Amino acid sequence: MAESLPTSTKARKSRRRSIDDCPPYMSSSSGPLTEELQCSLCLNMFTDPVTTPCGHNFCKTCLDKCWDNSQTCNCPYCKETFKIRPDLKINTTLLELVDQYKKKSPEKKPEVLCDVCEERKLKALKSCLVCQSSYCETHLEPHLKVAGLKKHKLINPVRNLEDYICQKHERPLELFCRDDQTCVCLSCTDGDHKNHNTVPVEEESEEKKTQLMKTQKDVQQMIQDRIKKIQDVKHSAEVRKRNTEGEKAAHVELFTDLICSIERCQTELLEMMEEQQKAAEKQEEELIEELEQEITELKMRNTELEQLSHTEDHLHLLQIYSYLCSSRNTRNWSEISVKTDESLETVRRALTQLKDTLQEKLTRNVSTDLKRMQQYEVDVTLDPDTAHPQLILSDDGKQVRHGDIWQKRPDKPERFDRYGIVLGKKGFSSGRFYFEVQVKGKTDWTLGVASEFIDRKGSITLRPSNGFWTVAQRNGNEYLAFADSRVSLCLRVKPQRVGVFVNYEEGLVSFYDVESSSHIYSYTGQSFTGKLYPYFNPCINNGGKNSTPLIITPVNHNK
């Protein structure tokens, strides 16, 4: 009979105490493990420990298996990528530490003494369930030789023999009742457990061990998943911090330049006003002579202004503007003042034209970029296994809208149960990809990409640190980007079709208004792990005002 199957209340409590009292990360052969001696992949003591070039330690078998199952070769702990798979050697120093730890912390089993020895009790070799006694090697001999005693049930020595005996029939608990999930004796099968499904305790024990091993693997996988999640969150926090510091520095520089420009313009304006005042204080007797001279100069200036009013060289215009508009030692005559105003108006018109030209150039550049990104078009199809029960998908998997009826769908782990979300079937873990979605006629929607590790049950907060990179329309004319804090977007026109572009290696997610070839928003400097899936949320119908579906559309390369 197996030692691990006592069924009395006392034994069950004893087992429960031993489990609850154990500290985390217990070895099968020793006490608590320190982090230095524990492999973060298998969560056990190191076996043939190796060290990566970045300085982290793993079991050689665990690391080899991890790299064999991955397209890239990186450290499972810090994610540092190695272009060439390192040729790792056993870390002999760490191996010696593990061996020393095992020697200092050997497995301690409770010692059971012989019940027959009188003076100096020897260690028991076996316990007899029939005699309810434990025997050393000498006193066990009769059970091995006498015919009647040979039939007795012997087990490995235990202290609590009463837990292995049926309290009702005083016979060994040799069977396990699967109907009642309890150990029974042979007499029980003629009474309360008659016609029940019973098997030998050894058989049931082996089956339970198999189940326990499976459960242990599941628990270890859950631990590894959560360790990886912690590492991802920490990494995202570091990236976000770096990006924030960079943006703060850029904003400080921008506003510093702006302040300097304002101060410079103010100084120039005051100097010009002072010069005009001085010019007005010149002697009256010089009026005629100065006017004749000024008429000649003004004619020359008029010729220059006429030429510059048609120039496309806006930079040159701005560079000589102060020179052309200066008083040039002239008094502040009303005619001259009029001329100055006209010159300023000419500059204003030139600046307006320059602004329009820049806007046109910017649109042209975005259009060129968009055409380049459209070359990475992928075929996106909606995954019904992820769709919220109130979402209605088209048969071809290209359209999704919100319905008012809760459809009967199996509650799968990948299905969203609180928000009207559906993901694309195919995920992407490298390279670049692009897809377009028609949003025409809708008042509310959310689009983007999501990590494979996102939460799909219960409350969800859209932000990069939670694995979501999205933009949205709300209330018909409000546009948002769900960064770590919401970002209001100011769009010149209402998008009818939205393009989504991802560069996995660069950590870039960009959104474009396809019809106007304009940029909507970009997430930059992101750190992706695992696969990214296209993300869709058509939002609620809102009484039919938002019943139009989101439609995944093919790219029009001829536009």
Side-chain angles (χ1 to χ4, degrees), residues 341-399:
D341 290 342
E342 290 178 357
S343 299
L344 291 173
E345 184 60 32
T346 301
V347 174
R348 291 191 190 100
R349 288 198 300 268
L351 289 174
T352 301
Q353 184 179 358
L354 176 60
K355 180 180 178 182
D356 294 339
T357 302
L358 291 174
Q359 183 64 46
E360 180 182 351
K361 184 177 181 181
L362 178 61
T363 302
R364 186 163 58 249
N365 290 341
V366 171
S367 179
T368 303
D369 291 342
L370 186 57
K371 288 182 180 179
R372 176 175 54 82
M373 294 174 185
Q374 288 174 335
Q375 298 176 1
Y376 298 97
E377 178 188 11
V378 293
D379 184 18
V380 176
T381 304
L382 302 174
D383 185 358
D385 290 339
T386 66
H388 184 275
Q390 285 185 300
L391 294 184
I392 299 175
L393 277 59
S394 61
D395 293 338
D396 62 357
K398 298 295 184 180
Q399 300 185 25

Side-chain angles (χ1 to χ4, degrees), residues 215-227:
T215 302
Q216 183 187 16
K217 289 182 179 179
D218 293 341
V219 171
Q220 290 179 348
Q221 185 61 48
M222 291 171 65
I223 293 173
Q224 292 183 35
D225 291 343
R226 281 148 181 79
I227 291 175

Side-chain angles (χ1 to χ4, degrees), residues 304-458:
E304 293 177 352
L305 289 172
E306 177 65 22
Q307 293 174 350
L308 287 173
S309 65
H310 301 289
T311 183
E312 294 295 330
D313 191 350
H314 306 294
L315 180 59
H316 177 63
L317 171 63
L318 294 176
Q319 288 173 339
I320 68 172
Y321 162 73
S322 298
Y323 170 75
L324 291 176
C325 295
S326 65
S327 59
R328 297 188 183 180
N329 298 321
T330 61
R331 295 190 180 188
N332 189 19
W333 305 103
S334 59
E335 293 83 358
I336 294 176
S337 298
V338 171
K339 283 290 183 180
T340 303
D341 290 342
E342 290 178 357
S343 299
L344 291 173
E345 184 60 32
T346 301
V347 174
R348 291 191 190 100
R349 288 198 300 268
L351 289 174
T352 301
Q353 184 179 358
L354 176 60
K355 180 180 178 182
D356 294 339
T357 302
L358 291 174
Q359 183 64 46
E360 180 182 351
K361 184 177 181 181
L362 178 61
T363 302
R364 186 163 58 249
N365 290 341
V366 171
S367 179
T368 303
D369 291 342
L370 186 57
K371 288 182 180 179
R372 176 175 54 82
M373 294 174 185
Q374 288 174 335
Q375 298 176 1
Y376 298 97
E377 178 188 11
V378 293
D379 184 18
V380 176
T381 304
L382 302 174
D383 185 358
D385 290 339
T386 66
H388 184 275
Q390 285 185 300
L391 294 184
I392 299 175
L393 277 59
S394 61
D395 293 338
D396 62 357
K398 298 295 184 180
Q399 300 185 25
V400 56
R401 62 184 177 87
H402 190 275
D404 296 323
I405 301 175
W406 193 284
Q407 304 172 76
K408 291 184 178 179
R409 289 177 177 167
D411 185 17
K412 298 185 176 182
E414 59 268 31
R415 188 181 306 284
F416 294 90
D417 67 350
R418 186 165 180 177
Y419 299 99
I421 301 170
V422 61
L423 302 181
K425 280 186 177 181
K426 183 179 179 181
F428 304 87
S429 58
S430 63
R432 307 172 187 180
F433 63 94
Y434 174 89
F435 61 94
E436 292 182 357
V437 183
Q438 181 174 307
V439 298
K440 183 178 180 181
K442 295 191 66 62
T443 62
D444 298 86
W445 49 262
T446 307
L447 294 174
V449 293
S451 167
E452 65 175 304
F453 304 116
I454 57 173
D455 294 328
R456 308 190 184 204
K457 308 298 182 183

Side-chain angles (χ1 to χ4, degrees), residues 170-219:
E170 295 186 354
R171 298 187 64 180
L173 296 169
E174 300 179 276
L175 303 173
F176 183 81
C177 176
R178 289 180 170 172
D179 293 341
D180 296 330
Q181 291 294 298
T182 185
C183 294
V184 297
C185 69
L186 285 173
S187 298
C188 293
T189 58
D190 295 328
D192 297 339
H193 299 272
K194 189 175 182 180
N195 298 325
H196 285 191
N197 180 16
T198 57
V199 295
V201 292
E202 291 83 1
E203 179 181 337
E204 184 67 18
S205 176
E206 291 303 319
E207 185 171 328
K208 288 290 192 292
K209 287 179 181 179
T210 302
Q211 295 175 0
L212 287 175
M213 290 177 64
K214 182 179 181 302
T215 302
Q216 183 187 16
K217 289 182 179 179
D218 293 341
V219 171

Side-chain angles (χ1 to χ4, degrees), residues 141-157:
E141 239 180 273
H143 279 78
L144 303 177
K145 295 181 178 180
V146 179
L149 296 178
K150 283 184 178 181
K151 298 179 180 180
H152 287 193
K153 183 70 174 182
L154 298 176
I155 64 171
N156 290 329

Side-chain angles (χ1 to χ4, degrees), residues 109 128 167 194 381 425 433 453 501 528 542:
K109 296 182 179 179
C128 177
Q167 300 300 312
K194 189 175 182 180
T381 304
K425 280 186 177 181
F433 63 94
F453 304 116
F501 173 75
F528 303 131
N542 193 18

